[in-house]
Amino acid sequence: MTASDHALRYDDVPYPALVHPATHPRVIGAMATLFGLDAAPPDRCRVLDLGCASGTNVMSLAADAPESRFVGVDVAASGILRGRERARLAGIDNVRLEVGDLSADLDLGEFDYIIAHGVYSWVSPALQDRLLATIARHLAPGGLAYVSYNTYPGWHLVDLVRQLFLRQTDPEAPPLERVRQARAVLDAHIAGAAEGSMQRAILIHEQQMLATASDPYIFHEHFVAEHHPTYFEDFVAHADAAGLTYVADARPNHVLPGTQPPNVAAAVAGLKDRVAVQQALDHHLNTRFRWSILCPKGAARPDLTVAPEALARLHVSLPRNRELTLLEDGAEVHNAMGRRVTVRDRVVASFLEHLYERSPSSVPLVDLVDLSDPGGRVLGGALVGLFFSGVLSLTTGPIAAASTLPERPRVPLLNRVQAQLGEAATNRLFESQLLDDVGHRLFPLLDGTRDVAALAAEIGEPADLVEGLLRVYVDVALILP
Ligand SMILES: C[S@@+](CC[C@H](N)C(=O)[O-])C[C@H]1O[C@@H](n2cnc3c(N)ncnc32)[C@H](O)[C@@H]1O
């Protein structure tokens, strides 16, 4: 399949216009900072997004960082044209979207952050080489790259479903009709699979994963012609050959063995090599996807450090959906995977309470702890522990969102344009939030000039419904402070 055949598939069925939270420079930068690297400040940096589709991700970053410069490149021209129009409507002038083919010698300049989300596993091995070479060539000396990819062993099981879809649907059917057939085939095979069988368990698990997935996503994930999941250690070796060193994954909960279930942590405890530890974790956890951060080979060797200078650069926040219960001697809080984490320290519990009240906005870590004091550094270390346990977020830039409903609610212009175009809105946490019909009509009016009564009158809906909806938007971090 040539690059232009490939582009056609993305021109025919546009990839969903979504953002990917772990690609944010403030997220990548925080992990790299904890691993002893110097990350460019997220409000003054140069960012390249390779395989950016219609550029929603790179453009949402650009909208929030007017002093930074952004470039998005994709081989599918229709997405780039849609993206340019969206940028024009939203008045975003610090992003450049280009039609470009990774198989050519792209020359785009030098970047502090390079993002390639959803590209590496979905192109041919030859193009995977080109992708990593393009990253290595464009990365500034202290730069950081983010590459996501499907992994084995998890994908060995998912492949059961992909093969079912590929072989038991009509290859001549139009793309979205084929996805409809695939969903029906999956239902039929679950109904036919023996109760208690391994096959049934796998199929049901995938059915649950796909229940909330959009049809275009399923098409590009399961019907893409080139699909090459990889073992983590093979990816690291490939990156190394391209002149890139593995730093850590951008999602914290997979990084440290100590935050895994005790039997898993014990099983990998004897392994010294970082790559071997991560590969062993993938076998224990049946990992199917990774979000890997890379730096140029020859930069400082990444090593986990909780040095005060590193901590001083971080902002800490507690996402609003973490249930927090204060106890006599500490607190109980849910982490990102919904597991309960117990904190047996009253001071750390009081930090959690403070962050919960400010949530979803962040607080500079130095506002919570005195890093010049040994006790303060221990508390800082405890907060880093809660980050790697998936409880807290750490970022190199602040997060600011309303925690209560303002009298005249306001969202960024980009969100108003996204709503008008029928797209999901990027929230202050850099997540995509789907809007319902009322939301699509309400959002374009949220420019900070109207109160609830005026908004309700203008869209012809009851005021209590509009107010309820706005409170939901506050909860999901869509409203500006
Ligand atoms: C699965 S999509 C991911 C899109 C986007 N990064 C995201 O995650 O939302 C893969 C993207 O890579 C692009 N792509 C594939 N081959 C390419 C090539 N040779 N050069 C440039 N872009 C390519 C596709 O057009 C498509 O937009």
Side-chain angles (χ1 to χ4, degrees):
M1 182 179 239
T2 66
S4 59
D5 292 338
H6 190 90
L8 265 182
R9 293 173 77 93
Y10 285 95
D11 283 333
D12 283 354
V13 182
Y15 201 72
L18 302 175
V19 296
H20 308 289
T23 65
H24 201 299
R26 70 186 176 199
V27 171
I28 300 170
M31 188 60 81
T33 299
L34 289 170
F35 275 81
L37 304 180
D38 264 335
D43 56 346
R44 264 167 295 112
C45 60
R46 299 157 295 172
V47 181
L48 171 63
D49 194 335
L50 292 169
C52 69
S54 68
T56 297
N57 195 73
V58 69
M59 191 176 305
S60 298
L61 293 173
D64 279 349
E67 304 292 310
S68 298
R69 291 287 163 265
F70 298 82
V71 178
V73 176
D74 202 285
V75 72
S78 61
I80 293 295
L81 294 179
R82 253 196 330 280
R84 284 183 189 158
E85 176 60 5
R86 192 197 299 109
R88 192 188 63 76
L89 292 170
I92 301 170
D93 58 9
N94 56 339
V95 67
R96 211 175 84 216
L97 297 180
E98 302 281 349
V99 179
D101 186 347
L102 283 165
S103 62
D105 277 331
L106 297 175
D107 184 8
L108 302 159
E110 189 176 84
F111 295 88
D112 303 302
Y113 295 95
I114 301 183
I115 299 163
H117 183 80
V119 184
Y120 183 83
S121 302
W122 299 265
V123 294
S124 68
L127 216 50
Q128 291 181 336
D129 289 347
R130 303 291 301 193
L131 174 64
L132 293 180
T134 305
I135 290 173
R137 206 171 55 245
H138 288 86
L139 209 51
L144 297 164
Y146 160 107
V147 182
S148 66
Y149 49 98
N150 280 340
T151 52
Y152 292 130
W155 250 89
H156 283 303
L157 299 188
V158 191
D159 205 37
L160 191 87
V161 171
R162 177 172 147 89
Q163 294 305 326
L164 177 66
F165 288 178
L166 283 173
R167 290 161 195 276
Q168 298 294 311
T169 58
D170 175 6
E172 302 302 323
L176 297 184
E177 164 57 18
R178 215 166 165 203
V179 173
R180 196 198 58 72
Q181 291 176 7
R183 289 191 193 269
V185 161
L186 184 55
D187 291 347
H189 279 73
I190 290 170
E195 204 65 53
S197 66
M198 185 171 66
Q199 177 204 18
R200 186 175 161 83
I202 295 169
L203 295 180
I204 287 180
H205 185 261
E206 285 311 305
Q207 187 190 44
Q208 286 164 355
M209 297 287 290
L210 296 181
T212 52
S214 69
D215 288 355
Y217 167 81
I218 293 178
F219 177 71
H220 291 297
E221 185 74 358
H222 285 285
F223 293 99
V224 65
E226 298 283 357
H227 185 243
H228 306 279
T230 180
Y231 281 96
F232 168 73
E233 58 194 3
D234 295 341
F235 173 78
V236 172
H238 194 193
D240 184 78
L244 298 163
T245 299
Y246 177 70
V247 178
D249 264 40
R251 291 282 171 114
N253 44 297
H254 204 300
V255 174
L256 298 189
T259 59
Q260 305 308 321
N263 52 341
V264 175
V268 302
L271 298 171
K272 291 279 173 280
D273 178 69
R274 269 163 34 80
V275 174
V277 168
Q278 290 296 313
Q279 184 58 62
L281 283 181
D282 280 3
H283 288 288
H284 281 288
L285 304 172
N286 198 35
T287 307
R288 61 192 278 176
F289 193 76
R290 272 188 173 268
W291 302 259
S292 293
I293 301 171
L294 307 169
C295 67
K297 214 153 114 178
R301 194 182 134 71
D303 196 12
L304 183 61
T305 161
V306 280
E309 317 79 74
L311 295 185
R313 276 181 250 144
L314 300 176
H315 298 249
V316 54
S317 56
L318 181 65
R320 229 176 154 93
N321 58 2
R322 309 284 194 264
E323 273 169 45
L324 175 69
T325 314
L326 294 174
L327 309 171
E328 286 266 292
D329 59 345
E332 216 168 62
V333 61
H334 282 89
N335 71 4
M337 293 77 69
R339 278 207 308 267
R340 250 190 319 210
V341 174
T342 307
V343 174
R344 299 257 175 245
D345 184 312
R346 284 222 187 98
V347 180
V348 176
S350 72
F351 291 163
L352 291 176
E353 193 183 8
H354 178 69
L355 291 169
Y356 195 76
E357 281 159 11
R358 302 258 346 220
S359 177
S361 295
S362 62
V363 173
L365 195 138
V366 290
D367 285 5
L368 292 178
V369 295
D370 176 3
L371 293 170
S372 64
D373 173 75
R377 291 200 286 276
V378 171
L379 289 171
L383 294 177
V384 172
L386 286 174
F387 165 69
F388 283 115
S389 302
V391 172
L392 294 174
S393 296
L394 291 177
T395 48
T396 48
I399 294 170
S403 50
T404 55
L405 183 58
E407 197 186 324
R408 295 171 194 277
R410 188 168 62 94
V411 297
L413 176 57
L414 174 62
N415 284 173
R416 287 180 254 145
V417 171
Q418 287 174 316
Q420 269 162 344
L421 297 175
E423 296 179 350
T426 307
N427 73 3
R428 304 293 80 218
L429 303 174
F430 205 64
E431 301 161 337
S432 290
Q433 293 290 340
L434 296 176
L435 304 176
D436 65 6
D437 166 57
V438 181
H440 281 293
R441 286 186 283 132
L442 188 56
F443 250 63
L445 306 176
L446 298 181
D447 59 4
T449 62
R450 299 168 178 85
D451 61 13
V452 169
L455 290 165
E458 223 164 304
I459 64 166
E461 298 286 350
D464 54 353
L465 182 139
V466 169
E467 184 172 335
L469 203 51
L470 288 167
R471 289 193 189 284
V472 172
Y473 295 156
V474 169
D475 280 342
V476 296
L478 277 165
I479 306 291
L480 288 166

